[in-house]
Each structure stands twice: as C-alpha cells, then as structure tokens.
Amino acid sequence: MTWPPARVLDSVEPAQPTDEAIGHAVAALRRGGLVAFPTETVYGLGADATNPAAVARIFEAKGRPASHPLIVHLASASALPLWARDIPESAKLLAQKFWPGPLTLILERAPTVPDAVTGGQDSVGLRVPAHPVAQALLQAFGGGIAGPSANRFGRVSPTTAQHVRDELGDRLEMILDGGPCPVGIESTIVDLSGSAPVLLRPGRITPQEIEAVIGTPLGRASSASPRASGTLAAHYAPRLPLRLVSGATLDAAVREAASQRLVAVLARHPRPGYSNATVWMIAPLDASEYARLLYAGLRQLDESGCALILVEAPPDTQDWAAVRDRLARAAAGSAGALESGAAHRLPDNGT
Ligand code: TXA
Ligand code: MG
C-alpha cells in the first residue's frame, strides 16, 4: 500500500466561505459538479436540481438507490411556484412561520421538476435553509440545489466540513466550511402532498409546533407513505454495533458487555468509579444540545477502538422524540443489530 493513500491525496480541502469561494462553488454547480455546503441541520451534498446528470452524480457519490428522492433547497419561499403546484394553504402558513429553517415540505411537484430529483414520484421535497452560507450559495446560484445529507447512504449525517471530507472528499469539487451545524440532526419533514398532512421525519421543529400553525393533527408515516430513506428502520448508523439501554439497566449492561469486549458508553451522567467501560462519553441533558452533538459523538465513539457502543436512552418525552428516532435507527442499522435481524423490528413510520 502506498502512503499517503490515494483517497487522501485526491480529497478536497474544505474552503472558507468567502465571496470568492461562493463564486467558485456556483461555477462548479453550473458545470454540473458536486458542492458540499453547510446548513443549520447537517451538511448537504449539492448539485444543480435542474441538471439530471449532476443529480445522478449525487446518487453515485452517496451510493444511494435512485428511487430515493432528494430535497431541493431554495433561497426563499417565493420560488415555491417554480417547483410545486396546487400549493395548499397549510404549506404557505408553514413556510411563513418556519422558513428559512429546519423544515422540509413535501408538495405536489411542478411538471418541470426532473424525475432524477423526485425518484419518479409525483411529489417533491422543498426546504429554505437558514444557514448564512447556504443562503449565500443559494442566492448567488439563483436556482434550486438538490441536496441530501453529505454522507454515504445509511450512515451518520455530517455536521462538520471534516466529516464530509472524511466520507466523500474524493467525490466533490468543493466543500464550503461553515463550521459545526447548530441543529445537528436533519430537518423535520411534513408531507402535504396527500389528503392529510403527515409527519415523515421528526426534527427540531416538533409536531406540536406544526399542528399549532396548520390547525389539524399530523398523521404519522406508514408503509403506504412515499419512500423516504430517512424513515428506513436501518439508517443513520455508526459502523460499530450500537445498543440502546435504559438508565435503570445501564450499569448492569456495561458490566456484562465490558467483561467480554471493549465497550464505549454514551451516558447521561458521569462514569461511576467502578465502571469497567473503556470509553465514557457524557451526553448533554438538554435535548437540543444533545441533538447538536449527537452525530459528532457517534463518529468519535465509532473510532474509539471499542467493539460495542452502549447508549443510555434519553427520556420518552416529546422534546426528545427526534433524538430518540435517530438513536433507534442507529441501533437498528448498526452492525450488531443487523446481524441479529433487529433492523426489522422498528416500525417504518419515521417516529
Ligand atoms: O436537514 C435536512 O433535511 C438535510 C439538509 C442537507 O437539508 N437533508 C437531508 O436530505 O437530510 P436526505 O436526502 O438525507 O434526507 C431527505 C429525506 C430522505 O429520506 C428522502 O427520501 C425524503 O427526504 N424525501 C425527499 N423527497 C421526498 C418526497 N418527494 N417524498 C417523500 N420523501 C421525500
Ligand atoms: Mg440523509
């Protein structure tokens, strides 16, 4: 093997988001290239949403099945009519209240939206991100940027430019570095393309906040809902097996597992003096803080040299719903759970 490995040699350096860098990024997008950019949720893997060849490159880089649709990022809600048709009043109200911000709306697509973006579905996912670098890029580009999370399919989303570089650095023309993402988990997704609004993916914006705006209860995703890879049971997964354990049983679980192999723990309290865990990471007690640090934490635990990650389950309350969703999927998608078939036990309903 040669050193340094070719992947590192070819990998792009994250660029500070100067006006000049934004100009280069826009030129790369116009050429059909891929540009990773920060949003307030996670980093996106961007391509010109009107260029099917560019969009195909996203699927190729991520290793994502072509049938899984992409979110199109827009600079402002005023572009909605270019991308969606028969826009319901509820969409206008939600856009007014939460855009720019961590909310994705699924709407009936305008006829001009390429099949490559929607996976052939009759709907399209649209979001106006709030991050200043995403905004600068979108405004300078002047069109829609198709952008899934900038990770390999099924893996943990990136919340820093370095995460993107580690996973996809050799596939991109540019990575715009906007620092760590402040929300840390992917946007809330609400499907407004059917007869009743449905929550497809929980996020920072809660169902209660959405219901307060639209005045009707949100349904929950079922297997009849349109495909959303974020709602697959096995998703957002680290490489190591990850197990969720209740606070009450954490001590016993650690003791037993650590007698056989090296164990990394993500707990909600400091390490007890007697613990035989190899790595002990203390998670924030606040749900937003926990979400902000979750994916970076999982990446660190993944690289800890341990053989198993044990995570103390957060409280079963509304404010923790999005974090619990990601942790449950990480457990279902991680190596150990897949081996034992546990990935099939989680309902495919995005909650
Ligand atoms: O916060 C986010 O939403 C980030 C940032 C980069 O904006 N993006 C993101 O994209 O998480 P992605 O592709 O990793 O997840 C978007 C989810 C996928 O599960 C996709 O299947 C679903 O949205 N989706 C997109 N368009 C859809 C549609 N028309 N119908 C149903 N689901 C859709
Ligand atoms: Mg994703």
Side-chain angles (χ1 to χ4, degrees), residues 93-126:
L93 292 172
L94 288 173
Q96 216 165 42
K97 171 85 178 168
F98 295 115
W99 280 354
L103 176 69
T104 297
L105 299 177
I106 309 293
L107 300 172
E108 290 186 72
R109 71 157 157 172
T112 45
V113 183
D115 277 342
V117 169
T118 66
Q121 300 190 62
D122 201 28
S123 59
V124 61
L126 299 165

Side-chain angles (χ1 to χ4, degrees), residues 161-251:
Q162 188 59 43
H163 294 162
V164 179
R165 187 185 187 193
D166 290 346
E167 221 161 301
L168 292 168
D170 56 349
R171 308 285 190 135
L172 308 172
E173 289 216 24
M174 266 186 99
I175 302 171
L176 290 171
D177 189 348
C181 301
V183 174
I185 54 170
E186 306 79 359
S187 60
T188 306
I189 305 182
V190 177
D191 186 355
L192 298 172
S193 69
S195 51
V198 174
L199 177 74
L200 291 188
R201 183 172 71 184
R204 159 67 73 84
I205 297 173
T206 65
Q208 291 73 15
E209 287 178 283
I210 289 162
E211 286 165 352
V213 171
I214 62 178
T216 48
L218 269 182
R220 297 297 191 269
S222 71
S223 51
S225 305
R227 287 176 295 263
S229 52
T231 68
L232 291 178
H235 217 73
Y236 311 117
R239 283 170 210 286
L240 290 182
L242 180 151
R243 253 189 251 145
L244 267 174
V245 184
S246 74
T249 57
L250 182 66
D251 255 5

Side-chain angles (χ1 to χ4, degrees), residues 62 64 148-151 155 157 186 201 229-230 235-236:
K62 271 185 75 92
R64 172 159 161 162
S149 51
N151 52 281
R155 293 289 164 198
S157 294
E186 306 79 359
R201 183 172 71 184
S229 52
H235 217 73
Y236 311 117

Side-chain angles (χ1 to χ4, degrees), residues 133-160:
V133 177
Q135 272 294 327
L137 180 67
L138 284 160
Q139 282 169 26
F141 182 61
I145 299 180
S149 51
N151 52 281
R152 302 272 307 163
F153 183 64
R155 293 289 164 198
V156 174
S157 294
T159 54
T160 68

Side-chain angles (χ1 to χ4, degrees), residues 5-128:
R7 193 168 156 267
V8 174
L9 275 180
D10 295 345
S11 165
V12 292
E13 284 278 350
Q16 288 307 306
T18 58
D19 288 352
E20 195 190 357
I22 296 283
H24 288 316
V26 167
L29 290 172
R30 295 215 169 110
R31 284 196 299 274
L34 301 182
V35 172
F37 62 100
T39 81
E40 67 276 29
T41 58
V42 300
Y43 274 73
L45 176 58
D48 178 354
T50 61
N51 178 342
V55 171
R57 265 176 220 124
I58 291 181
F59 287 94
E60 210 253 324
K62 271 185 75 92
R64 172 159 161 162
S67 58
H68 286 271
L70 303 177
I71 293 172
V72 177
H73 298 77
L74 305 172
S76 85
S78 62
L80 265 185
L82 298 173
W83 296 89
R85 68 180 142 80
D86 301 332
I87 301 167
E89 194 53 32
S90 54
K92 294 176 190 159
L93 292 172
L94 288 173
Q96 216 165 42
K97 171 85 178 168
F98 295 115
W99 280 354
L103 176 69
T104 297
L105 299 177
I106 309 293
L107 300 172
E108 290 186 72
R109 71 157 157 172
T112 45
V113 183
D115 277 342
V117 169
T118 66
Q121 300 190 62
D122 201 28
S123 59
V124 61
L126 299 165
R127 169 159 119 80
V128 176

